[in-house]
Amino acid sequence: MIPVTRDSGAATAPRADSAAGGTTWRSITPGSAELDPRGYARRRRLLERGLAILVPVGLIGLWQLLASSGALEGNYFPAPSTIGSAWAELVESGVYQDSVVASMRRIVIGYLTGGLSAIVLGLVIGSVRLLRVALEPMISALYTIPKLAILPLLLLIFGLGETSKVLLVALTCFFVVLINTIDAVVSVSPRYGDVGRSCGASRWATLWHITLPAALPQTLTGMRLASGLAVIVIVGAEFVAADVGLGFLVWNSWNLGVPEHMYVGIVSISVIGVMANMILRGVEWLLTPWNR
Amino acid sequence: MAAFALSTLVLGVLAACGDGDERDASAGGSSALKVGYISGASLAPAFVADALGCYQKEGLTVEFQPIRNPADAIAFLSSDKIDAYVGSPSAGMFNQVAKGAELKMVASLGSVNTPDGEDAPSGLFGAKSVEEVQDLKGKRVGVLGTVGTATSYLLGKSLEAGGLTFGDVELVSLALSDMVPALKNGGIEGALLIAPETQKALDQDIAHALVDSKKAYGTSTTAGIMYGPGLLKDDRATGGKFIKAAACATRQMQGDWRKDTKIVSALASFMKVPETTISGGGLYVFEPTLAVNANTLREMQEMFMKVKGTLTYDQIIPSEKLIDDGIRVEAVG
């Protein structure tokens, strides 16, 4: 390791090693980060925030410019201002609210049903070795089935109503959360259990006070992954088997040759995904204070 | 949002720079065409013209590109990614033309106006609990796609025959193959079926025809050929050759063409279905003139305008903006 000395004077070039085995010193001139660390940090934060805002604004501006000048095919790549007007139109007519509410309802009910049942089942399967050995291969096999592929079967069994779509979301979330929960429970150090037992903790107390908190971070990561998949799968289902929802809005707008409405749907889906992720990160922050 | 804006920009630029393959015209006068198509027996002449030697006769090399969704075809056609589209007009086409896209219908193909004694290959079917069209009021009715497709127009005409409109029923968008099972399990109580689903519903005693389709929409022609700016403006001669070839195949498909093994074999091979599906399927009628029925396009717009959000304009587009009859007249006479 080369020692560094602080020298407020003029910068000096690194010196070549003077003698074999001798220590080489190098001087650096203190920059703004060293002379005014708080000011530097403030400017740096400002720059980062500025970039986070300016880059999207710049890209949207460029998009607007290219679309207005005709460089982009306006019929299929409408300008952001056109999309904005279309958004306002859809809100005014109520179509937008209906679509968002329909998709959100399917996502929330399916996500909570699938996710919460998977946590309960995952804790049990992860805690009982024989159960895990018996069920894990089947769970892995079922997890890999593309859930959209079984939508026609769900429609056949449960009809064309909401049940089939909610169930599709629930099934998608279930396996992701289940696998993460089982893995999380299995990864809990046996030492924690030993400590619990030596303190006379019952099985229930061990599960509640030791296994669950220890497994929670990874389980919540599974919940976060599942939320993204829930959005993706409901959009796919609404493409083929719905007459309201954001997926239907995207698909139908394309079919009707109104791509500006399609973009409204796509942006909304993306916003829902981002918001779900933020909410779940908040939940994670609240539930796992030791993990902050 | 930045990622979305960036991906849209990249896609837009890629679309603008995309391969604008020019039609090849070799020294021998042979022209190559890219034709997008939706598979269906109502469009048969365009598909069997190759096997019947009609394209060769016109010096055409046709590359067919399957398209699953009519909206995709309209996008490809208006941006010259394909030269012609063999399929059906739709609300998507009307909306794009209203925005200034250059695409027009140049010829028509099959209709359900079959001879007496021959069932129409499509129609409005009702479950056993439904006796007549009026019984469908307030009930769930299956349709391929949503309001705005050519099939929805046929359904609208069938409902009209019984005094109903789209507003009187609850439309359920379903794939064609899901309709008979949905009729069976009570998911829907009516559906616009297309052969071979019509026969399946009758054979399994699940549903029955509610309307005489020949009366409801026998003279309408929703199957046809559409051209984009390339064939409409720059190379009308090649456009004429394609229509001549389609007319050549149509002339050989008069009467019950399902008995012609050469045609059945060629169509089955093109559509990738067993020959029995064609020979035992519905009969479509092909007029040798290939004349487009302007009235059908007007009626489609009128019907779709009544359903809010389907068309983005409120004045019927005049037929000359949707149909270019000049190429057909010159080619077929």
Side-chain angles (χ1 to χ4, degrees):
Chain A
M1 189 175 161
I2 301 170
V4 173
T5 181
R6 182 169 164 168
D7 176 9
S8 57
T12 52
R15 284 195 303 249
D17 197 352
S18 49
T23 309
T24 304
W25 288 85
R26 181 167 64 88
S27 297
I28 58 166
T29 308
S32 54
E34 289 81 20
L35 293 172
D36 178 18
R38 290 174 71 180
Y40 176 80
R42 198 176 55 244
R43 286 193 297 276
R44 187 83 195 174
R45 264 200 313 274
L46 210 66
L47 175 72
E48 284 169 4
R49 284 181 190 167
L51 278 175
I53 295 168
L54 283 177
V55 168
V57 167
L59 283 171
I60 292 170
L62 181 65
W63 175 5
Q64 175 75 36
L65 200 73
L66 289 174
S68 310
S69 67
L72 291 180
E73 167 61 77
N75 274 358
Y76 292 101
F77 299 96
S81 57
T82 314
I83 296 171
S85 311
W87 205 317
E89 261 173 41
L90 287 172
V91 170
E92 202 181 313
S93 65
V95 171
Y96 183 71
Q97 295 89 316
D98 291 348
S99 305
V100 172
V101 168
S103 293
M104 286 300 291
R105 194 172 49 225
R106 290 165 189 148
I107 291 171
V108 170
I109 299 174
Y111 175 75
L112 290 178
T113 311
L116 296 180
S117 57
I119 290 177
V120 174
L121 212 63
L123 285 172
V124 175
I125 296 174
S127 305
V128 184
R129 186 178 160 75
L130 276 180
L131 213 53
R132 193 169 71 243
V133 171
L135 295 177
E136 228 169 16
M138 195 171 66
I139 291 168
S140 300
L142 290 173
Y143 166 66
T144 51
I145 295 174
K147 304 300 173 292
L148 268 176
I150 58 167
L151 180 61
L153 292 176
L154 293 177
L155 289 171
L156 191 68
I157 299 166
F158 298 101
L160 298 159
E162 292 297 292
T163 317
S164 47
K165 290 177 272 287
V166 169
L167 210 57
L168 186 76
V169 175
L171 276 172
T172 306
C173 298
F174 178 80
F175 286 103
V176 179
V177 178
L178 183 67
I179 288 172
N180 273 282
T181 309
I182 293 173
D183 274 0
V185 172
V186 172
S187 320
V188 175
S189 168
R191 285 180 196 168
Y192 297 162
D194 293 344
V195 172
R197 268 191 298 280
S198 67
C199 293
S202 64
R203 275 184 84 90
W204 169 250
T206 307
L207 184 72
W208 184 251
H209 292 293
I210 297 172
T211 311
L212 185 61
L216 208 50
Q218 195 182 337
T219 302
L220 288 171
T221 303
M223 289 290 279
R224 206 146 42 78
L225 290 174
S227 73
L229 289 175
V231 175
I232 293 169
V233 86
I234 199 59
V235 169
E238 286 172 351
F239 267 33
V240 292
D243 55 6
V244 66
L246 286 170
F248 174 78
L249 177 69
V250 169
W251 178 80
N252 197 41
S253 305
W254 175 250
N255 280 341
L256 293 178
V258 197
E260 53 270 31
H261 288 181
M262 183 183 83
Y263 285 97
V264 173
I266 293 174
V267 174
S268 304
I269 290 160
S270 168
V271 168
I272 287 176
V274 171
M275 278 171 58
N277 194 40
M278 281 167 66
I279 290 169
L280 285 162
R281 275 197 187 279
V283 170
E284 200 173 335
W285 190 81
L286 282 174
L287 292 182
T288 58
W290 62 90
N291 220 27
R292 284 173 201 165
Chain B
M1 194 62 202
F4 177 71
L6 184 63
S7 34
T8 309
L9 269 176
V10 170
L11 287 173
V13 171
L14 284 176
C17 307
D19 67 333
D21 288 355
E22 296 297 324
R23 277 172 299 287
D24 301 330
S26 70
S30 171
S31 303
L33 283 183
K34 270 189 187 171
V35 178
Y37 72 97
I38 300 273
S39 194
S42 62
L43 306 157
F47 305 151
V48 299
D50 194 38
L52 298 178
C54 301
Y55 290 137
Q56 294 89 318
K57 202 170 126 190
E58 296 300 329
L60 286 176
T61 307
V62 178
E63 183 194 332
F64 277 101
Q65 299 189 334
I67 290 171
R68 288 182 63 85
N69 186 350
D72 300 344
I74 299 302
F76 296 154
L77 197 57
S78 61
S79 56
D80 256 345
K81 297 286 183 292
I82 53 175
D83 301 306
Y85 165 50
V86 178
S88 299
S90 62
M93 174 195 175
F94 300 143
N95 284 332
Q96 283 297 320
V97 171
K99 283 184 188 174
E102 276 213 52
L103 45 107
K104 286 181 179 174
M105 201 154 170
V106 291
S108 77
L109 292 170
S111 80
V112 302
N113 207 10
T114 53
D116 289 341
E118 182 68 48
D119 287 336
S122 67
L124 176 59
F125 278 60
K128 302 215 87 171
S129 57
V130 177
E131 283 184 13
E132 51 184 2
V133 179
Q134 285 89 336
D135 295 342
L136 288 175
K137 194 163 185 171
K139 302 277 171 61
R140 295 162 75 93
V141 177
V143 63
L144 185 64
T146 51
V147 174
T149 59
T151 351
S152 74
Y153 164 72
L154 303 183
L155 173 63
K157 292 289 283 180
S158 306
L159 290 172
E160 261 176 26
L164 299 183
T165 64
F166 287 133
D168 294 318
V169 296
E170 188 185 338
L171 293 177
V172 180
S173 174
L174 283 176
L176 209 53
S177 55
D178 292 336
M179 288 188 185
V180 173
L183 279 165
K184 189 177 179 182
N185 70 15
I188 52 175
E189 283 171 87
L192 194 285
L193 298 182
I194 298 171
E197 300 302 310
T198 44
Q199 202 53 46
K200 221 184 270 179
L202 293 172
D203 290 347
Q204 295 176 23
D205 198 22
I206 290 168
H208 59 104
L210 295 174
V211 173
D212 181 353
S213 307
K214 285 186 260 184
K215 278 187 189 160
Y217 52 82
T219 53
S220 302
T221 51
T222 56
I225 301 170
M226 277 154 261
Y227 284 172
L231 293 183
L232 285 173
K233 280 173 149 184
D234 309 332
D235 194 0
R236 288 176 74 86
T238 304
K241 286 180 187 174
F242 186 70
I243 292 182
K244 267 187 197 169
C248 152
T250 301
R251 281 193 295 275
Q252 297 177 58
M253 293 184 75
Q254 297 305 298
D256 193 350
W257 49 267
R258 294 171 303 178
K259 289 176 183 156
D260 186 322
T261 50
K262 191 177 177 188
I263 289 173
V264 168
S265 167
L267 188 56
S269 159
F270 187 91
M271 290 173 64
K272 296 181 179 63
V273 294
E275 288 187 13
T276 47
T277 306
I278 304 294
S279 56
L283 177 70
Y284 283 92
V285 174
F286 304 103
E287 290 295 329
T289 61
L290 306 183
V292 180
N293 186 343
N295 198 40
T296 302
L297 300 183
R298 191 180 49 76
E299 279 183 357
M300 284 177 89
Q301 293 180 74
E302 282 171 353
M303 185 185 287
F304 297 157
M305 266 179 189
K306 289 175 191 159
V307 181
K308 203 177 162 196
T310 306
L311 294 181
T312 54
Y313 55 91
D314 50 16
Q315 295 289 320
I316 301 281
I317 301 172
S319 60
E320 62 269 21
K321 283 199 170 179
L322 292 167
I323 301 168
D324 186 328
D325 208 28
I327 305 176
R328 182 194 67 84
V329 169
E330 206 172 299
V332 185

